[in-house]
Amino acid sequence: MKKGILVASGLVVAALGTYLITGNFQKEGADKLGTTDIKRLVHDISAGKATAQSASINSSQLMVTGNDTRPMTYNLPDNEFFVSIAPYVDQTHPCATHSLTGCQGEIKNGEFNVTVHDIEGNVIMENAAMKSQPNGFIDLWLPRDKTYRISVNHEGKTAQTEFSTYEKDDTCITTMQLG
């Protein structure tokens, strides 16, 4: 009996992994994805590990059109806000709502040191070593309903800005020119 349950559990885990990684976005799974799964799905699409015709993320939802062209909407965690940042030296693009499949930053797979404080001065991350994804963006999940100051350093050049994580705030920051 226990062996049967373990086998069934293993099959469920394998099916969920296949579902997320292959980009097979079916309606029956949309309401069942938990916070960890949503974050993994966002990461996998950004990193090119999962495919989708299009995927964008606003302050409250991830919208994905899979290979079957059916759009799916996933609610983001109530207590966390997604923001994607593309520091640049020479070129950027205007953006407000991040497209996981369309936005391209200048510095792909670059090494960065990132510091984030909230407006009250609380340290969220201090000089954290981070690598931009193949799309040139650094993705962060931060507590909602706060204002933050971020400093990004790359190869001796620094950029700083302030942003917030309130409902309807932008999820794409492309204005941080390194200098």
Side-chain angles (χ1 to χ4, degrees):
M1 178 74 172
K2 286 183 181 180
K3 186 175 182 180
I5 292 172
L6 286 174
V7 169
S9 297
L11 290 173
V12 168
V13 168
L16 179 61
T18 301
Y19 169 82
L20 291 174
I21 292 172
T22 62
N24 182 18
F25 306 106
Q26 301 295 320
K27 175 63 180 155
E28 56 271 13
D31 297 328
K32 296 178 183 174
L33 291 180
T35 298
T36 302
D37 297 327
I38 292 292
K39 288 181 177 182
R40 177 170 298 284
L41 182 57
V42 168
H43 175 269
D44 287 352
I45 293 171
S46 291
K49 294 178 183 178
T51 59
Q53 285 189 4
S54 68
S56 61
I57 188 166
N58 64 27
S59 64
S60 61
Q61 295 180 322
L62 167 65
M63 289 80 55
V64 179
T65 300
N67 295 329
D68 62 3
T69 69
R70 291 190 314 186
M72 300 300 310
T73 301
Y74 303 89
N75 291 326
L76 299 183
D78 291 335
N79 59 348
E80 291 180 279
F81 187 96
F82 174 85
V83 63
S84 198
I85 300 166
Y88 72 99
V89 175
D90 295 316
Q91 62 186 35
T92 190
H93 66 279
C95 190
T97 301
H98 185 58
S99 170
L100 303 171
T101 54
C103 286
Q104 291 295 311
E106 179 182 53
I107 305 171
K108 299 171 185 168
N109 301 308
E111 301 290 333
F112 295 87
N113 289 323
V114 180
T115 298
V116 179
H117 296 107
D118 66 20
I119 200 74
E120 292 86 31
N122 298 309
V123 175
I124 308 304
M125 64 176 60
E126 185 73 38
N127 207 29
M130 299 185 80
K131 186 175 181 180
S132 62
Q133 304 210 41
N135 64 2
F137 280 81
I138 301 167
D139 293 346
L140 300 172
W141 290 91
L142 297 168
R144 288 183 177 274
D145 302 328
K146 291 187 174 264
T147 300
Y148 296 94
R149 290 189 182 114
I150 185 169
S151 176
V152 178
N153 183 285
H154 173 72
E155 297 180 352
K157 297 180 179 181
T158 301
Q160 298 177 3
T161 197
E162 189 172 287
F163 67 96
S164 58
T165 59
Y166 293 93
E167 189 66 28
K168 308 287 184 199
D169 278 342
D170 294 345
T171 57
C172 192
I173 299 173
T174 58
T175 55
M176 294 185 70
Q177 186 170 18
L178 295 160

